[in-house]
Amino acid sequence: MTALSERSVPTVSSEELAAAAGVNSAKLRKDFSYLGSYGTRGVGYDVEYLVYQISRELGLTQDWPVVIVGIGNLGHALANYGGFASRGFRVAALLDADPAVVGSSAAGLPVRHMDELEEIVETQAVSIGVITTPPGAAQQVCDRLVEAGVTSILNFAPTVLTVPDGVDVRKVDLSIELQILAFHEQRKAGEEPDRGESVLDRAPGPVRAAAAKLRRAAGASAKRTDAKAEPEPAKGGPGQGPEGDLSAVMPA
Amino acid sequence: MTALSERSVPTVSSEELAAAAGVNSAKLRKDFSYLGSYGTRGVGYDVEYLVYQISRELGLTQDWPVVIVGIGNLGHALANYGGFASRGFRVAALLDADPAVVGSSAAGLPVRHMDELEEIVETQAVSIGVITTPPGAAQQVCDRLVEAGVTSILNFAPTVLTVPDGVDVRKVDLSIELQILAFHEQRKAGEEPDRGESVLDRAPGPVRAAAAKLRRAAGASAKRTDAKAEPEPAKGGPGQGPEGDLSAVMPA
DNA sequence: TAGATTGTTAATCGATTAACAATC
DNA sequence: TAGATTGTTAATCGATTAACAATC
């Protein structure tokens, strides 16, 4: 949509957009309909208007002050992250508990002491906090953020946080993405014939059960039987985004 | 599972595990059944055995050498990330094109020049590459990784990469997580009565259509009507993981 | 008016879950 | 044997998509 807007394309049909996005046009129309009735029959969607409406719905037109707590490499990286400003995020403050770090600067902002948290959250109306501390400090920092009035937390520490009702937490685990790649990589490589498993073990119910039964009957030395190559499931294949649950990466 | 293993709990039932994970026990059993028939009726699952089988299936028991290209703050942060080693990931090399960075060290490893890429990939059998370069360099680096033989790429640069068939790409956009938080935050705050929209605009088909029709008939000054508070959909509520598509964050 | 395209319904498809035979 | 619990089937639920009336 942004690309179309930059090329000054005035309108776009659900069919064109769907093709560009790789989704079904009916689904796209239905999704858009949740935002309101912003298209024109026989014409399509006004690009500028739709960009604005989607931006507004997603909260991109608002100013979102955020605090980043824990200014190590990752805190630094996030403070410098280019994508934030354009989406309405503004770094209200960088905070750290380590006196050796406090007073230094990152991305043009001074690193301030944790003790200033409460005042910053209040005066700048901060509702979103980012935790980039070591795992041991994360829950404590989280409690303090919540106490100060923050109601949304983005957690990069490898710790599952406990928060009261009404507070949202999102956890980013950088190694999960690598794990998903490794999982697919492993499948690309193909399984060794005599690792005690068969490709049939991954087939749906009845086939799998039959294969397992056969193998049990034949004893542990049973060889991999000749099976048709399983086609890659549509979901697990393309797309560069995160996948929510196992069913998206597991074979059909 | 790991926690149970550490407490030397010998077996666990699908019911117990499902309760702990907050999922349905039938779904859990069905998911496990894709891995094979690893439970015992009347008893449950052997904890150690299941941990091993799941680890193996996910590729956690393998050694995965990875190269990280682009050693800025984010590259540094990833090189130091603790969660990698325990999941079988090993940083085979840190690479950068900038002579000012080459020769420095991060996480105990020397930063080497991009020109060494091909040799490293070949000699260490690297199949996974991580891109933490500026956006402008990402596609070029990606092409070179693929050319060298890398078949899985984790991309932190805000660029959609084009790769040949058979190569997997996962894109991590750190600001998307913040956007999802901001989206929920906006909804928590509640909508302004006279912003020209109604909570009914978010209701499913017929209700929405009727509301829109009424508002058109009544003109632009129509006020927000009295509507029941919409209950938070199960999917959008708890959980600290990423969500794959809009249907997970949009209201029912 | 004829052609195009939306917004929505109804049909289809797939995922989740209740139920239960198998079996420890 | 009686109780427990798996693995799987069949029923249910929800999401996707084809189809089309509404309408520009």
Side-chain angles (χ1 to χ4, degrees):
Chain A
M1 291 293 300
T2 308
L4 290 174
S5 173
E6 275 161 9
R7 286 197 284 129
S8 299
V9 175
T11 62
V12 65
S13 72
S14 61
E15 200 63 61
E16 291 168 305
L17 265 185
V23 298
N24 179 285
S25 70
K27 178 160 209 294
L28 189 140
R29 288 198 298 280
K30 192 160 215 194
D31 281 1
F32 280 1
S33 79
Y34 285 98
L35 305 177
S37 207
Y38 298 145
T40 306
R41 288 161 203 241
V43 177
Y45 298 89
D46 183 281
V47 172
E48 293 300 326
Y49 187 53
L50 192 53
V51 164
Y52 170 72
Q53 290 296 346
I54 291 174
S55 297
R56 187 172 60 80
E57 184 72 19
L58 295 179
L60 306 187
T61 56
Q62 280 187 48
D63 172 64
W64 294 105
V66 304
V67 292
I68 302 178
V69 185
I71 311 303
N73 286 128
L74 189 54
H76 258 97
L78 288 175
N80 282 305
Y81 196 68
F84 284 175
S86 61
R87 272 120 160 178
F89 297 108
R90 175 170 56 80
V91 179
L94 304 175
L95 298 169
D96 206 295
D98 182 353
V101 176
V102 173
S104 68
S105 81
L109 291 168
V111 178
R112 298 163 72 177
H113 193 272
M114 261 312 268
D115 286 344
E116 299 188 56
L117 171 68
E118 288 76 12
E119 194 225 317
I120 292 164
V121 168
E122 184 171 355
T123 60
Q124 305 206 40
V126 173
S127 57
I128 301 177
V130 178
I131 298 179
T132 46
T133 64
Q139 181 64 57
Q140 194 181 328
V141 164
C142 172
D143 293 345
R144 205 157 156 197
L145 283 168
V146 170
E147 181 62 34
V150 165
T151 48
S152 288
I153 289 173
L154 185 58
N155 177 32
F156 285 87
T159 316
V160 172
L161 298 175
T162 305
V163 291
D165 274 7
V167 176
D168 273 346
V169 180
R170 297 192 68 81
K171 184 172 182 296
V172 177
D173 180 346
L174 300 171
S175 70
I176 276 188
E177 295 295 322
L178 267 186
Q179 276 191 56
I180 295 174
L181 282 176
F183 176 76
H184 287 300
E185 194 63 38
Q186 179 176 238
R187 315 198 121 243
K188 274 187 218 164
E191 50 279 301
E192 294 303 319
D194 241 314
R195 240 167 71 204
E197 64 164 21
S198 144
V199 72
L200 290 183
D201 279 320
R202 289 168 184 155
V207 180
R208 225 213 82 259
K213 193 160 290 184
L214 279 170
R215 208 171 37 260
R216 274 197 300 274
S221 71
K223 294 290 185 294
R224 172 185 179 191
T225 50
D226 188 46
K228 296 270 180 287
E230 37 179 355
E232 187 74 5
K235 257 189 177 172
Q240 306 190 1
E243 289 154 8
D245 63 306
L246 265 184
S247 67
V249 285
M250 290 298 287
Chain B
M1 289 296 297
T2 309
L4 290 173
S5 173
E6 275 162 9
R7 286 196 284 130
S8 300
V9 175
T11 62
V12 66
S13 71
S14 62
E15 200 63 61
E16 293 169 304
L17 265 186
V23 299
N24 179 285
S25 70
K27 178 158 209 293
L28 188 140
R29 288 198 297 280
K30 193 160 214 193
D31 281 1
F32 281 180
S33 80
Y34 285 99
L35 306 178
S37 207
Y38 297 146
T40 306
R41 289 162 202 239
V43 178
Y45 298 89
D46 182 280
V47 172
E48 293 301 325
Y49 187 52
L50 192 53
V51 164
Y52 170 72
Q53 290 296 346
I54 291 173
S55 297
R56 187 173 61 81
E57 183 73 20
L58 295 180
L60 306 188
T61 57
Q62 280 188 49
D63 172 66
W64 295 106
V66 304
V67 292
I68 302 179
V69 184
I71 312 302
N73 286 129
L74 189 54
H76 258 96
L78 287 175
N80 282 304
Y81 196 68
F84 285 174
S86 62
R87 273 119 159 178
F89 297 107
R90 176 171 55 80
V91 179
L94 304 176
L95 298 169
D96 206 295
D98 182 353
V101 176
V102 173
S104 68
S105 83
L109 292 168
V111 178
R112 299 162 72 177
H113 193 271
M114 261 312 269
D115 286 344
E116 300 188 54
L117 171 68
E118 287 76 11
E119 194 225 318
I120 293 165
V121 168
E122 184 171 357
T123 60
Q124 306 206 39
V126 173
S127 57
I128 301 177
V130 179
I131 298 179
T132 46
T133 64
Q139 182 64 57
Q140 195 181 327
V141 165
C142 172
D143 292 345
R144 204 153 158 201
L145 283 168
V146 170
E147 181 62 34
V150 165
T151 48
S152 289
I153 289 173
L154 185 58
N155 177 31
F156 285 87
T159 316
V160 173
L161 298 175
T162 305
V163 291
D165 274 6
V167 176
D168 273 345
V169 180
R170 297 192 68 81
K171 184 170 183 294
V172 177
D173 179 347
L174 300 171
S175 69
I176 275 187
E177 295 294 322
L178 267 186
Q179 276 190 58
I180 295 174
L181 283 176
F183 176 76
H184 287 300
E185 193 65 38
Q186 179 175 239
R187 315 198 120 241
K188 275 186 218 163
E191 50 278 302
E192 295 303 319
D194 241 314
R195 241 168 71 203
E197 64 164 20
S198 144
V199 71
L200 291 182
D201 278 322
R202 289 167 185 158
V207 179
R208 226 212 80 260
K213 193 160 292 184
L214 279 171
R215 209 169 38 260
R216 273 198 300 275
S221 70
K223 294 289 183 295
R224 173 187 178 190
T225 50
D226 187 46
K228 296 271 178 286
E230 37 179 354
E232 188 75 5
K235 257 189 178 171
Q240 306 189 0
E243 289 155 9
D245 63 307
L246 264 185
S247 67
V249 286
M250 290 298 287

